[in-house]
Coordinates of all heavy atoms in Angstrom, one line a residue:
E129 N 55.0 -8.9 -21.7 CA 53.7 -8.4 -22.1 C 52.9 -8.1 -20.8 O 52.2 -7.2 -20.6 CB 52.9 -9.4 -22.9 CG 53.4 -9.7 -24.3 CD 52.7 -10.8 -25.0 OE1 51.9 -11.5 -24.4 OE2 53.0 -11.0 -26.2
Y130 N 53.1 -9.0 -19.8 CA 52.4 -8.8 -18.5 C 53.0 -7.7 -17.7 O 52.3 -6.8 -17.3 CB 52.5 -10.1 -17.7 CG 52.3 -9.9 -16.2 CD1 51.1 -9.3 -15.7 CD2 53.2 -10.4 -15.3 CE1 50.9 -9.2 -14.3 CE2 53.0 -10.3 -13.9 CZ 51.9 -9.7 -13.4 OH 51.6 -9.5 -12.1
M131 N 54.4 -7.6 -17.6 CA 54.9 -6.6 -16.8 C 54.8 -5.2 -17.4 O 54.8 -4.2 -16.7 CB 56.4 -6.9 -16.6 CG 56.7 -8.2 -15.9 SD 56.0 -8.3 -14.2 CE 56.9 -7.0 -13.3
S132 N 54.6 -5.1 -18.7 CA 54.5 -3.8 -19.3 C 53.1 -3.1 -18.9 O 53.0 -1.9 -19.1 CB 54.6 -3.9 -20.8 OG 53.5 -4.7 -21.3
E133 N 52.2 -3.9 -18.5 CA 50.9 -3.2 -18.2 C 50.8 -3.0 -16.6 O 49.8 -2.5 -16.2 CB 49.7 -4.2 -18.6 CG 49.6 -5.5 -17.8 CD 48.4 -6.3 -18.2 OE1 47.7 -5.9 -19.2 OE2 48.1 -7.2 -17.5
R134 N 51.8 -3.4 -15.9 CA 51.8 -3.1 -14.5 C 52.1 -1.6 -14.2 O 53.0 -1.1 -14.7 CB 52.9 -4.0 -13.8 CG 52.6 -5.5 -13.7 CD 51.7 -5.9 -12.5 NE 52.4 -5.5 -11.2 CZ 53.1 -6.3 -10.6 NH1 53.3 -7.6 -11.1 NH2 53.7 -6.0 -9.4
E135 N 51.3 -1.0 -13.4 CA 51.5 0.4 -13.1 C 51.6 0.5 -11.5 O 51.6 1.7 -11.0 CB 50.2 1.2 -13.5 CG 50.1 1.2 -15.1 CD 48.9 2.0 -15.5 OE1 48.1 2.4 -14.6 OE2 48.7 2.2 -16.7
D136 N 51.8 -0.6 -10.8 CA 51.9 -0.5 -9.3 C 53.4 -0.6 -8.9 O 54.2 -0.8 -9.8 CB 51.0 -1.6 -8.7 CG 51.6 -3.0 -9.2 OD1 51.1 -3.5 -10.2 OD2 52.5 -3.5 -8.5
N137 N 53.6 -0.4 -7.7 CA 54.9 -0.5 -7.2 C 55.1 -1.8 -6.3 O 56.1 -1.8 -5.6 CB 55.3 0.7 -6.3 CG 55.3 2.0 -7.1 OD1 55.8 2.0 -8.2 ND2 54.7 3.1 -6.6
H138 N 54.3 -2.8 -6.4 CA 54.3 -3.9 -5.5 C 55.6 -4.7 -6.1 O 55.8 -4.8 -7.3 CB 53.1 -4.8 -5.7 CG 52.9 -5.8 -4.6 ND1 53.7 -6.8 -4.4 CD2 51.9 -5.8 -3.6 CE1 53.4 -7.5 -3.3 NE2 52.3 -6.9 -2.8
P139 N 56.4 -5.2 -5.1 CA 57.6 -5.9 -5.6 C 57.4 -7.3 -6.2 O 58.2 -7.8 -6.9 CB 58.4 -6.0 -4.2 CG 57.4 -6.0 -3.2 CD 56.3 -5.1 -3.7
A140 N 56.2 -7.9 -5.9 CA 55.9 -9.3 -6.4 C 55.8 -9.3 -7.9 O 55.2 -8.3 -8.5 CB 54.7 -9.8 -5.7
V141 N 56.2 -10.4 -8.4 CA 55.9 -10.6 -9.9 C 54.5 -10.8 -10.2 O 53.8 -10.2 -11.1 CB 56.8 -11.8 -10.5 CG1 56.4 -12.0 -11.9 CG2 58.3 -11.4 -10.3
F142 N 53.9 -11.7 -9.4 CA 52.5 -12.1 -9.7 C 51.6 -11.6 -8.5 O 51.8 -12.0 -7.4 CB 52.4 -13.6 -9.8 CG 53.2 -14.2 -11.0 CD1 54.3 -15.0 -10.7 CD2 52.8 -13.9 -12.3 CE1 55.1 -15.5 -11.7 CE2 53.7 -14.4 -13.3 CZ 54.8 -15.2 -13.0
I143 N 50.6 -10.7 -8.9 CA 49.7 -10.2 -7.9 C 48.3 -10.6 -8.3 O 47.9 -10.7 -9.5 CB 49.9 -8.7 -7.8 CG1 49.7 -8.0 -9.1 CG2 51.3 -8.4 -7.2 CD1 49.7 -6.4 -9.0
S144 N 47.5 -10.5 -7.3 CA 46.0 -10.8 -7.5 C 45.3 -9.6 -8.1 O 45.9 -8.5 -8.1 CB 45.4 -11.3 -6.2 OG 45.4 -10.3 -5.3
N145 N 44.0 -9.8 -8.4 CA 43.2 -8.6 -8.8 C 43.0 -7.6 -7.7 O 42.7 -6.4 -8.0 CB 41.8 -9.1 -9.3 CG 41.9 -9.8 -10.6 OD1 42.9 -9.7 -11.3 ND2 40.9 -10.7 -10.9
R146 N 43.3 -8.0 -6.5 CA 43.2 -7.0 -5.4 C 44.5 -6.3 -5.1 O 44.5 -5.4 -4.2 CB 42.8 -7.8 -4.1 CG 41.4 -8.4 -4.1 CD 41.0 -9.1 -2.9 NE 41.9 -10.2 -2.6 CZ 41.8 -11.0 -1.5 NH1 40.9 -10.8 -0.7 NH2 42.6 -12.0 -1.5
G147 N 45.5 -6.7 -5.9 CA 46.8 -5.9 -5.7 C 47.7 -6.6 -4.7 O 48.7 -6.0 -4.3
D148 N 47.4 -7.8 -4.1 CA 48.2 -8.5 -3.2 C 49.1 -9.5 -3.9 O 48.7 -10.0 -5.0 CB 47.4 -9.2 -2.2 CG 46.4 -8.2 -1.4 OD1 46.9 -7.1 -1.2 OD2 45.3 -8.6 -1.2
R149 N 50.1 -9.9 -3.3 CA 50.9 -11.0 -3.8 C 50.0 -12.3 -3.9 O 49.3 -12.5 -3.0 CB 52.2 -11.4 -2.8 CG 53.0 -12.5 -3.4 CD 54.1 -12.8 -2.4 NE 55.1 -11.7 -2.2 CZ 56.1 -11.4 -2.9 NH1 56.4 -12.3 -3.9 NH2 56.9 -10.4 -2.6
I150 N 50.2 -12.9 -5.0 CA 49.3 -14.1 -5.3 C 49.6 -15.2 -4.3 O 50.8 -15.3 -3.9 CB 49.4 -14.6 -6.8 CG1 48.2 -15.4 -7.2 CG2 50.7 -15.3 -7.0 CD1 48.2 -15.7 -8.7
S151 N 48.6 -16.0 -3.9 CA 48.8 -17.0 -3.0 C 48.9 -18.4 -3.7 O 48.6 -18.5 -4.8 CB 47.6 -17.0 -2.0 OG 46.5 -17.5 -2.7
V152 N 49.3 -19.4 -2.9 CA 49.4 -20.8 -3.5 C 48.0 -21.2 -3.9 O 47.8 -21.9 -4.9 CB 50.0 -21.7 -2.4 CG1 49.9 -23.1 -2.9 CG2 51.5 -21.3 -2.1
R153 N 47.1 -20.9 -3.0 CA 45.7 -21.3 -3.3 C 45.2 -20.6 -4.7 O 44.5 -21.2 -5.5 CB 44.7 -20.8 -2.2 CG 43.3 -21.2 -2.4 CD 43.1 -22.7 -2.6 NE 41.7 -23.1 -2.8 CZ 40.8 -23.3 -1.8 NH1 41.2 -23.3 -0.5 NH2 39.6 -23.6 -2.1
N154 N 45.6 -19.3 -4.9 CA 45.2 -18.6 -6.1 C 45.7 -19.4 -7.3 O 45.0 -19.6 -8.3 CB 45.8 -17.3 -6.2 CG 45.1 -16.3 -5.2 OD1 45.7 -15.3 -4.7 ND2 43.9 -16.5 -5.0
V155 N 47.0 -19.9 -7.2 CA 47.6 -20.6 -8.4 C 46.9 -21.9 -8.6 O 46.6 -22.3 -9.7 CB 49.1 -20.9 -8.1 CG1 49.7 -21.7 -9.1 CG2 49.9 -19.5 -7.8
Q156 N 46.6 -22.5 -7.5 CA 45.9 -23.9 -7.6 C 44.5 -23.7 -8.3 O 44.1 -24.5 -9.1 CB 45.7 -24.5 -6.3 CG 47.1 -25.0 -5.6 CD 46.9 -25.4 -4.2 OE1 46.0 -25.0 -3.5 NE2 47.9 -26.2 -3.7
D157 N 43.8 -22.6 -7.9 CA 42.5 -22.4 -8.5 C 42.6 -22.1 -10.0 O 41.8 -22.4 -10.7 CB 41.8 -21.2 -7.7 CG 41.4 -21.6 -6.4 OD1 41.3 -22.8 -6.1 OD2 41.1 -20.6 -5.6
I158 N 43.6 -21.3 -10.4 CA 43.8 -21.0 -11.8 C 44.0 -22.2 -12.6 O 43.4 -22.4 -13.7 CB 45.1 -20.0 -11.9 CG1 44.7 -18.7 -11.4 CG2 45.4 -19.9 -13.4 CD1 45.9 -17.7 -11.3
L159 N 44.9 -23.1 -12.1 CA 45.1 -24.4 -12.8 C 43.9 -25.3 -12.8 O 43.7 -26.0 -13.8 CB 46.4 -25.1 -12.2 CG 47.7 -24.3 -12.5 CD1 48.9 -25.1 -11.9 CD2 47.9 -24.1 -13.9
A160 N 43.1 -25.3 -11.7 CA 42.0 -26.2 -11.6 C 41.0 -25.8 -12.7 O 40.3 -26.6 -13.4 CB 41.3 -26.1 -10.2
R161 N 40.8 -24.4 -12.9 CA 39.9 -23.9 -13.9 C 40.3 -24.3 -15.3 O 39.6 -24.6 -16.1 CB 39.8 -22.5 -13.7 CG 38.7 -21.8 -14.6 CD 38.5 -20.3 -14.2 NE 37.5 -19.7 -14.9 CZ 37.1 -18.4 -14.8 NH1 37.8 -17.6 -13.9 NH2 36.2 -17.8 -15.5
L162 N 41.7 -24.1 -15.5 CA 42.3 -24.5 -16.8 C 42.1 -26.0 -17.0 O 41.9 -26.4 -18.2 CB 43.7 -24.1 -16.8 CG 44.6 -24.4 -18.1 CD1 43.9 -23.8 -19.3 CD2 45.9 -23.9 -17.9
N163 N 42.2 -26.8 -16.0 CA 42.1 -28.2 -16.1 C 40.8 -28.6 -16.7 O 40.7 -29.5 -17.6 CB 42.3 -28.9 -14.7 CG 42.3 -30.4 -14.7 OD1 43.3 -31.0 -14.8 ND2 41.1 -31.0 -14.7
D164 N 39.7 -27.9 -16.2 CA 38.4 -28.2 -16.7 C 38.2 -27.8 -18.1 O 37.6 -28.4 -18.9 CB 37.3 -27.5 -15.7 CG 37.3 -28.1 -14.4 OD1 37.8 -29.2 -14.2 OD2 36.8 -27.3 -13.5
R165 N 38.8 -26.6 -18.4 CA 38.7 -26.1 -19.9 C 39.4 -27.1 -20.8 O 38.9 -27.2 -22.0 CB 39.3 -24.7 -19.9 CG 38.4 -23.6 -19.6 CD 37.3 -23.5 -20.6 NE 37.7 -23.3 -22.0 CZ 37.8 -22.0 -22.5 NH1 37.4 -21.0 -21.8 NH2 38.2 -21.9 -23.7
C166 N 40.5 -27.7 -20.4 CA 41.2 -28.6 -21.2 C 40.6 -29.9 -21.3 O 41.0 -30.8 -22.2 CB 42.7 -28.7 -20.8 SG 43.7 -27.3 -21.0
G167 N 39.6 -30.2 -20.5 CA 38.9 -31.5 -20.4 C 39.8 -32.6 -19.9 O 39.5 -33.8 -20.2
F168 N 40.7 -32.2 -19.0 CA 41.5 -33.3 -18.4 C 40.8 -33.9 -17.2 O 39.8 -33.3 -16.7 CB 42.8 -32.7 -17.8 CG 43.8 -32.1 -18.8 CD1 44.6 -31.0 -18.6 CD2 43.8 -32.7 -20.1 CE1 45.4 -30.5 -19.5 CE2 44.7 -32.2 -21.1 CZ 45.5 -31.1 -20.8
K169 N 41.2 -35.1 -16.8 CA 40.7 -35.7 -15.6 C 40.9 -34.8 -14.4 O 41.9 -34.2 -14.3 CB 41.3 -37.0 -15.4 CG 40.8 -37.9 -14.2 CD 41.5 -39.2 -14.1 CE 41.1 -39.9 -12.8 NZ 41.9 -41.2 -12.7
K170 N 39.8 -34.8 -13.6 CA 39.9 -33.8 -12.4 C 41.2 -34.1 -11.6 O 41.6 -35.2 -11.3 CB 38.8 -34.0 -11.5 CG 38.6 -33.1 -10.3 CD 37.4 -33.3 -9.5 CE 37.3 -32.3 -8.4 NZ 36.1 -32.4 -7.6
G171 N 41.9 -33.0 -11.3 CA 43.2 -33.1 -10.6 C 44.4 -33.4 -11.4 O 45.5 -33.4 -10.8
T172 N 44.3 -33.5 -12.6 CA 45.4 -33.7 -13.5 C 46.4 -32.6 -13.5 O 47.6 -32.7 -13.4 CB 45.0 -34.0 -15.0 OG1 44.2 -35.3 -15.0 CG2 46.1 -34.1 -15.9
L173 N 45.9 -31.4 -13.6 CA 46.8 -30.2 -13.8 C 46.9 -29.4 -12.4 O 46.0 -28.8 -11.9 CB 46.1 -29.3 -14.9 CG 47.0 -28.2 -15.5 CD1 48.2 -28.8 -16.1 CD2 46.3 -27.4 -16.5
H174 N 48.0 -29.5 -11.9 CA 48.3 -28.6 -10.8 C 49.8 -28.4 -10.9 O 50.6 -28.9 -11.7 CB 48.0 -29.3 -9.4 CG 48.6 -30.7 -9.3 ND1 49.8 -30.9 -8.7 CD2 48.1 -32.0 -9.4 CE1 50.1 -32.2 -8.6 NE2 49.1 -32.8 -9.1
P175 N 50.3 -27.4 -10.0 CA 51.7 -26.9 -10.1 C 52.8 -28.0 -10.1 O 53.7 -28.0 -10.9 CB 51.8 -26.0 -8.9 CG 50.5 -25.5 -8.7 CD 49.6 -26.7 -8.9
H176 N 52.6 -29.0 -9.3 CA 53.7 -30.0 -9.2 C 53.8 -30.8 -10.5 O 54.8 -31.4 -10.8 CB 53.5 -30.9 -7.9 CG 54.8 -31.2 -7.3 ND1 55.7 -30.1 -6.8 CD2 55.5 -32.3 -7.1 CE1 56.8 -30.7 -6.3 NE2 56.7 -32.0 -6.4
V177 N 52.6 -31.1 -11.1 CA 52.6 -31.8 -12.3 C 53.4 -31.0 -13.4 O 54.1 -31.6 -14.2 CB 51.1 -32.0 -12.8 CG1 51.1 -32.5 -14.3 CG2 50.5 -33.1 -12.0
L178 N 53.3 -29.8 -13.5 CA 54.0 -28.9 -14.5 C 55.5 -28.9 -14.1 O 56.3 -29.0 -15.0 CB 53.4 -27.5 -14.5 CG 52.0 -27.4 -15.2 CD1 51.6 -25.9 -15.1 CD2 52.0 -28.0 -16.5
R179 N 55.8 -29.0 -12.9 CA 57.2 -29.1 -12.4 C 57.8 -30.4 -12.9 O 58.9 -30.5 -13.5 CB 57.3 -29.0 -10.9 CG 58.7 -29.2 -10.4 CD 58.8 -28.9 -8.8 NE 60.0 -29.5 -8.2 CZ 61.2 -29.0 -8.3 NH1 61.4 -27.8 -9.0 NH2 62.2 -29.5 -7.6
H180 N 57.1 -31.5 -12.6 CA 57.5 -32.8 -13.1 C 57.6 -32.9 -14.6 O 58.7 -33.4 -15.1 CB 56.5 -33.9 -12.7 CG 56.5 -34.2 -11.2 ND1 57.6 -34.4 -10.5 CD2 55.5 -34.4 -10.4 CE1 57.4 -34.7 -9.3 NE2 56.1 -34.8 -9.2
T181 N 56.7 -32.3 -15.3 CA 56.7 -32.3 -16.8 C 58.0 -31.6 -17.2 O 58.7 -32.1 -18.2 CB 55.5 -31.6 -17.3 OG1 54.3 -32.3 -16.9 CG2 55.5 -31.6 -18.9
F182 N 58.3 -30.4 -16.7 CA 59.5 -29.7 -17.1 C 60.7 -30.5 -16.9 O 61.6 -30.5 -17.8 CB 59.6 -28.4 -16.3 CG 60.9 -27.7 -16.4 CD1 61.3 -26.9 -17.6 CD2 61.8 -27.8 -15.4 CE1 62.5 -26.3 -17.6 CE2 63.1 -27.2 -15.6 CZ 63.3 -26.4 -16.7
L183 N 60.8 -31.1 -15.7 CA 62.0 -31.9 -15.4 C 62.2 -33.1 -16.2 O 63.3 -33.6 -16.7 CB 62.0 -32.2 -13.9 CG 62.2 -31.0 -13.0 CD1 62.0 -31.4 -11.5 CD2 63.5 -30.3 -13.2
Y184 N 61.1 -33.9 -16.5 CA 61.1 -35.0 -17.4 C 61.6 -34.6 -18.8 O 62.4 -35.3 -19.4 CB 59.8 -35.7 -17.5 CG 59.5 -36.6 -16.3 CD1 58.4 -36.5 -15.5 CD2 60.3 -37.7 -16.0 CE1 58.0 -37.3 -14.5 CE2 60.0 -38.5 -15.0 CZ 58.9 -38.4 -14.2 OH 58.6 -39.2 -13.2

Side-chain angles (χ1 to χ4, degrees):
E129 289 175 358
Y130 160 54
M131 298 303 294
S132 65
E133 69 175 13
R134 288 276 298 271
E135 297 179 351
D136 59 272
N137 295 318
H138 201 294
V141 173
F142 300 110
I143 59 174
S144 67
N145 289 338
R146 295 180 297 180
D148 303 320
R149 182 183 294 272
I150 200 168
S151 68
V152 171
R153 181 60 182 272
N154 290 149
V155 177
Q156 292 170 339
D157 288 345
I158 290 170
L159 291 182
R161 190 171 181 181
L162 179 58
N163 186 94
D164 293 342
R165 276 294 301 262
C166 290
F168 297 148
K169 181 181 177 182
K170 186 176 181 180
T172 295
L173 196 58
H174 56 82
H176 221 60
V177 164
L178 293 181
R179 172 172 165 81
H180 286 316
T181 301
F182 168 81
L183 293 173
Y184 277 125

